[in-house]
Amino acid sequence: MTASFTLLLFGATGDLSRRMLLPSLFGLDADGLLPEQLRIVGTARSTLDAAGFRGIAGEALERFVEPERRGGDKVVRFLDRLAYVPLDASEPAAYGTLAQAVGDTRGGLSIFLSTAPSLFEPTIAGLSASGLACSSTRLALEKPLGTDLASSRAVNDAVASAFPEERTFRIDHYLGKETVQNLIALRFGNALFEPLWNASGISHVQITVAETVGLEGRAGYYDGVGALRDMLQNHMLQLLALVAMEPPSRFDATSVRDEKVKVLRSLRPIDRASVASHSVTGQYGAGAVGGQPVPGYADELGRASDTETFVALKAHVDNWRWKGVPFYLRTGKRLPARCSEIVVQFKAVPHSIFGDAQLSANRLVIRLQPEENIRLLMMAKQPGLDREGLRLREVPLDLGLANAFADVRRRIAYERLLLDLIEGDPTLFVRRDEVEAQWAWIDAIRDGWAATGMTPKPYGAGSWGPSAAIGLTERDGVSWHD
Ligand code: BG6
């Protein structure tokens, strides 16, 4: 595909745009990575002109981009690319004006939709009617894409009526994170792991995405959605798919997504019969995070709610490679630390010549944030004369990405994704069959919760979730890696 010459940003004055999209586009521009001719047309409901939008963008850059990266005429040059058209997205007639402002689309148009789900369908209808959904237009969609399989299908059908799948770019910003791509490099760029990367070599996998933040003023979106649908349905299942997939034959959109979807379809349903033993949900009460007292979820919300702010699951991938290997997943808000990591726990040596007490089985810890690193925990001999036998200790073999690549700037996940969109590479975007497999699995869990009357258990803000989450792994003799 060829690069687009226009990027149309819906929701251009919103939070995502200010915090992530505009700073990312600026970062790409400052490094000379955007096509010379690229114009960025912002649109949102606010009645602004181009100067007003440039003002908002300038403030966003000041707030979210380090001063040393804003030197010279970089900011002015970037702001020059920006135009703005106010739009009531629910009003079909308004799209004519938008189309006029976008102008000639023959050079290629990329559209980034980050709007309320209720506006998806009218927006797509408006884009079609005004000729903006032409054969060279690509459409990127930010979540939430539905709240269950049925509503996600409705969104996907509406999108498909105007954009074929190869020009539909569903965003999961976790796929734009460096360490997530590094997982692919680690697995398929090294011969070392693959022979052990299966049920013979691995005893279990843990995926944790822990956040310290609470509602962050997002009650309107978050309440009624909850951790399962906000984080697990998308980001965490994508991580699981990357850990569990078979080696794709190439690093391209079809090969990688074909392998991920096979994993997602192989997830063993957690249904009414197993939901009580395989899932735990929680909601934070008052507590303290980082030494600061914080209110409970219901207090932040101003009323009682049964939305879960924590979820832990024990999942299985039912195929030959992963037979009998549990994947423990957990995510929550107001946990003690911000930390996302994947832990691959290898099996113990078959026989210890040193006495069992001394040996810990190898473990690979892939840390996505706050810092990016990959550590392989190994046993090594403690220095000494060993009059009473060799003494061993677990030490990390540290891939120290921060040091190895110290001269390379860490980019925001959206930089990679926006550039891929503009250049037309869908490898790191989620295909329809993947999203639908994700929803099908999540819907069964929610159905199980409803049928068995499961409601979130309270946990104190600043703790690792309800104690039942500890029980979920300890029953199997496994501890969470905190
Ligand atoms: C978003 C969720 O998709 O991801 C938020 O809606 C969450 O609730 C965020 O805070 C986490 O993203 P990151 O990149 O900070 O881990």
Side-chain angles (χ1 to χ4, degrees):
M1 288 202 194
T2 49
S4 298
F5 288 167
T6 310
L7 174 66
L8 177 55
L9 275 187
F10 279 79
T13 57
D15 189 53
L16 182 74
S17 173
R18 291 174 203 236
R19 278 190 307 124
M20 297 288 171
L21 306 183
L22 292 167
S24 297
L25 289 165
F26 170 77
L28 293 170
D29 191 27
D31 292 344
L33 295 170
L34 293 183
E36 195 58 40
Q37 314 84 325
L38 185 85
R39 286 169 64 231
I40 301 169
V41 181
T43 181
R45 195 182 262 277
S46 324
T47 324
L48 293 171
D49 56 10
F53 180 52
R54 288 180 185 153
I56 289 182
E59 276 167 29
L61 301 185
E62 235 165 78
R63 239 182 108 192
F64 299 111
V65 179
E66 305 82 29
E68 59 278 14
R69 293 192 31 238
R70 287 190 259 118
D73 63 349
K74 287 181 185 157
V75 172
V76 177
R77 247 189 26 223
F78 174 70
L79 296 180
D80 262 359
R81 290 183 185 267
L82 305 186
Y84 184 82
V85 183
L87 176 87
D88 175 352
S90 62
E91 185 46 66
Y95 288 83
T97 322
L98 184 63
Q100 252 172 15
V102 169
D104 191 348
T105 53
R106 278 173 303 178
L109 169 66
S110 291
I111 303 178
F112 190 108
L113 215 53
S114 115
T115 42
S118 59
L119 292 176
F120 271 143
E121 292 183 30
T123 303
I124 285 157
L127 291 172
S128 293
S130 63
L132 283 171
C134 59
S135 63
S136 57
T137 309
R138 299 190 267 273
L139 180 70
L141 299 155
E142 233 330 314
K143 68 165 231 209
L145 297 182
T147 52
D148 56 13
L149 180 58
S151 55
S152 137
R153 278 195 176 136
V155 172
N156 284 327
D157 284 344
V159 171
S161 69
F163 296 90
E165 184 61 33
E166 65 272 17
R167 287 193 278 110
T168 303
F169 288 59
R170 290 179 200 78
I171 291 176
D172 185 317
H173 78 275
Y174 267 56
L175 296 182
K177 291 184 191 274
E178 273 295 333
T179 329
V180 175
Q181 294 155 40
N182 224 323
L183 173 60
I184 303 175
L186 186 80
R187 281 197 62 195
F188 306 120
N190 298 289
L192 200 63
F193 295 110
E194 191 51 25
L196 283 178
W197 207 265
N198 53 44
S200 312
I202 292 175
S203 69
H204 74 264
V205 175
Q206 299 183 16
I207 303 179
T208 296
V209 178
E211 298 188 282
T212 51
V213 294
L215 256 182
E216 292 186 293
R218 295 162 79 219
Y221 155 71
Y222 192 86
D223 192 55
V225 171
L228 183 72
R229 289 188 281 181
D230 181 46
M231 295 293 280
L232 210 137
Q233 179 271 337
N234 39 23
H235 309 320
M236 297 185 72
L237 287 186
Q238 282 291 320
L239 296 181
L240 182 151
L242 291 173
V243 172
M245 72 182 180
E246 295 300 314
S249 59
R250 276 182 292 278
F251 186 59
D252 68 22
T254 303
S255 313
V256 172
R257 300 189 297 179
D258 281 353
E259 295 308 335
K260 281 192 295 168
V261 78
K262 283 188 217 160
V263 172
L264 296 165
R265 288 187 182 139
S266 309
L267 283 166
R268 184 186 305 167
I270 297 179
D271 55 15
R272 295 176 181 199
S274 54
V275 82
S277 55
H278 285 64
S279 73
V280 172
T281 62
Q283 185 186 92
Y284 63 84
V289 177
Q292 295 299 314
V294 293
Y297 179 82
D299 295 325
E300 272 182 70
L301 194 63
R303 59 184 158 77
S305 159
D306 58 11
T307 296
E308 81 285 355
T309 60
F310 175 95
V311 60
L313 300 178
K314 176 179 169 183
H316 284 96
V317 178
D318 277 337
N319 62 19
W320 279 31
R321 184 186 283 262
W322 297 112
K323 172 80 186 157
V325 180
F327 284 73
Y328 301 102
L329 313 175
R330 81 181 155 162
T331 182
K333 298 219 181 266
R334 290 288 192 225
L335 300 185
R338 175 169 188 255
C339 150
S340 301
E341 65 182 20
I342 300 168
V343 177
V344 178
Q345 178 65 61
F346 291 96
K347 289 198 165 156
V349 294
H351 164 73
S352 171
I353 63 170
F354 308 106
D356 286 339
Q358 286 202 57
L359 286 186
S360 305
N362 298 138
R363 185 188 295 165
L364 180 68
V365 182
I366 301 166
R367 176 67 79 99
L368 313 180
Q369 49 200 33
E371 70 285 348
E372 297 175 350
N373 60 44
I374 301 178
R375 311 179 114 194
L376 184 58
L377 297 170
M378 316 221 7
M379 298 312 296
K381 179 188 169 306
Q382 279 193 37
L385 295 176
D386 308 314
R387 295 303 82 203
E388 283 152 23
L390 284 192
R391 286 161 61 87
L392 274 65
R393 205 174 67 203
E394 190 176 58
V395 287
L397 193 64
D398 204 326
L399 260 70
L401 299 175
N403 298 335
F405 302 107
D407 50 335
V408 183
R409 173 169 75 79
R410 287 297 179 264
R411 292 185 183 275
I412 308 172
Y414 281 96
E415 287 186 59
R416 169 73 200 241
L417 299 178
L418 282 163
L419 192 59
D420 284 354
L421 167 70
I422 292 166
E423 294 186 345
D425 179 354
T427 310
L428 297 179
F429 293 81
V430 185
R431 210 167 56 187
R432 176 173 184 160
D433 51 1
E434 294 179 78
V435 182
E436 295 189 355
Q438 290 171 184
W439 275 123
W441 193 68
I442 293 295
D443 280 3
I445 298 174
R446 292 185 49 242
D447 170 73
W449 289 349
T452 57
M454 244 177 92
T455 50
K457 297 182 166 52
Y459 64 95
S463 73
W464 282 106
S467 53
I470 298 169
L472 183 78
T473 57
E474 287 201 339
R475 277 200 297 277
D476 300 338
V478 169
S479 304
W480 289 107
H481 184 248
D482 290 339

